[in-house]
Amino acid sequence: MCKVDVAIERYGLAAPTGRYDSVDDYLLARWTGADGGESEGYKSLTTWFNKRLLARVYERNDRDVTEVRLEAEYEALVGDDDLDYGDVAADLATDDIDADEVTGAMASWSTMRRHLNECLDGEKPTVEASSDWERNSVDIARETARQKAESALSSLGKKGRLAGAEDAGVDVQVKVSCSECPTRVPLEDALDRGFVCQEHHVDTDEAAERTVRETGVAPDGGADSGGRLRSVLPIGALSSVTLAFGEFSGATLEFVATVGMA
């Protein structure tokens, strides 16, 4: 059994409504959109699952469960602030709850991905897009970022803080970053290949075959010594500025604005 199966059995997790026979049925329905709703990604399902697990632990130990409390304490347990984690862990201990044990039982988004695809043999239906609205949205956001950067540069030039800033050009590139390793690639490259990171987001053999089939080039031609895909940022007179944008298929979507003399 995988980690998700173990947690379901160990903590007696059940679906939130009688409409579903099990947590697995509920997860599959939300992932595929089979219940008539919009299909959800691995991260949102992972968050739901982990909160469900935490709430069950609270119930077993007669700890008050409210949405506000659950949300705040969950964020503290999975966050990066050691002080917040320690405070919540100490409070949980008063109810005989071991914070390390609970967080250790929680699933990561990659574990959830494997559970849905491999353990449950799930498959999302292919939906043919009627338009390219996703790329259009990114293009609009990229143009907005470029305009704001140009405005800021102009102001810096007028204030005498950056020589030549008013004559500099701005190029904004969107990059996606793997959540499991340092891999970062341009969005266009990721879309052309169909994945962000070969090592963590797709089956390696399948990715290799697809790359050779579509480009005629072996996938290791653009890999670093660790086998991960790499990309080179354009070099400009000013260091690149990265703006967090959101999520893209389990990866971080970023804007990288590079400024150089026009």
Side-chain angles (χ1 to χ4, degrees), residues 113 181 183 195-202 204 226-229:
R113 173 172 59 85
C181 71
T183 297
F195 60 86
V196 175
C197 174
Q198 180 174 332
E199 181 177 351
H200 296 108
H201 292 156
V202 295
T204 302
R228 290 187 288 269
L229 296 173

Side-chain angles (χ1 to χ4, degrees), residues 208-222:
E209 291 176 2
R210 177 165 49 190
T211 301
V212 173
R213 184 172 62 251
E214 297 181 354
T215 68
V217 179
D220 60 354

Side-chain angles (χ1 to χ4, degrees), residues 8 11-17 20-24 26 48 52 56:
I8 291 174
Y11 294 96
L13 302 183
T17 69
Y20 304 96
D21 294 332
S22 65
V23 170
D24 284 341
Y26 180 72
W48 175 85
R52 187 76 174 173
R56 179 58 176 157

Side-chain angles (χ1 to χ4, degrees), residues 80-249:
D80 298 324
D81 193 312
D82 292 338
L83 184 59
D84 286 346
Y85 182 93
D87 289 343
V88 172
D91 192 46
L92 290 177
T94 63
D95 286 325
D96 296 322
I97 298 174
D98 187 324
D100 291 342
E101 180 180 317
V102 174
T103 55
M106 291 180 179
S108 65
W109 78 268
S110 56
T111 298
M112 181 60 67
R113 173 172 59 85
R114 287 191 296 271
H115 181 67
L116 291 167
N117 286 276
E118 298 174 16
C119 298
L120 302 183
D121 198 25
E123 184 176 349
K124 275 194 175 185
T126 301
V127 179
E128 295 295 333
S130 58
S131 66
D132 203 12
W133 68 267
E134 297 93 346
R135 291 201 188 199
N136 291 337
S137 295
V138 171
D139 288 340
I140 292 172
R142 181 165 50 195
E143 177 61 19
T144 299
R146 185 188 65 78
Q147 292 175 0
K148 289 184 177 297
E150 286 183 342
S151 177
L153 279 174
S154 177
S155 177
L156 289 170
K158 292 176 180 178
K159 293 178 179 178
R161 295 177 58 186
L162 185 62
E166 295 180 69
D167 298 320
V170 178
D171 177 63
V172 178
Q173 183 183 53
V174 178
K175 307 197 78 178
V176 285
S177 302
C178 177
S179 60
E180 300 286 331
C181 71
T183 297
R184 292 200 311 161
V185 296
L187 175 59
E188 292 298 326
D189 289 352
L191 289 172
D192 290 340
R193 284 195 291 257
F195 60 86
V196 175
C197 174
Q198 180 174 332
E199 181 177 351
H200 296 108
H201 292 156
V202 295
D203 178 81
T204 302
D205 293 335
E206 177 186 333
E209 291 176 2
R210 177 165 49 190
T211 301
V212 173
R213 184 172 62 251
E214 297 181 354
T215 68
V217 179
D220 60 354
D224 60 20
S225 59
R228 290 187 288 269
L229 296 173
R230 67 171 183 268
S231 62
V232 180
L233 292 174
I235 300 175
L238 209 61
S239 60
S240 61
V241 180
T242 303
L243 305 174
F245 186 68
E247 288 182 6
F248 177 79
S249 187

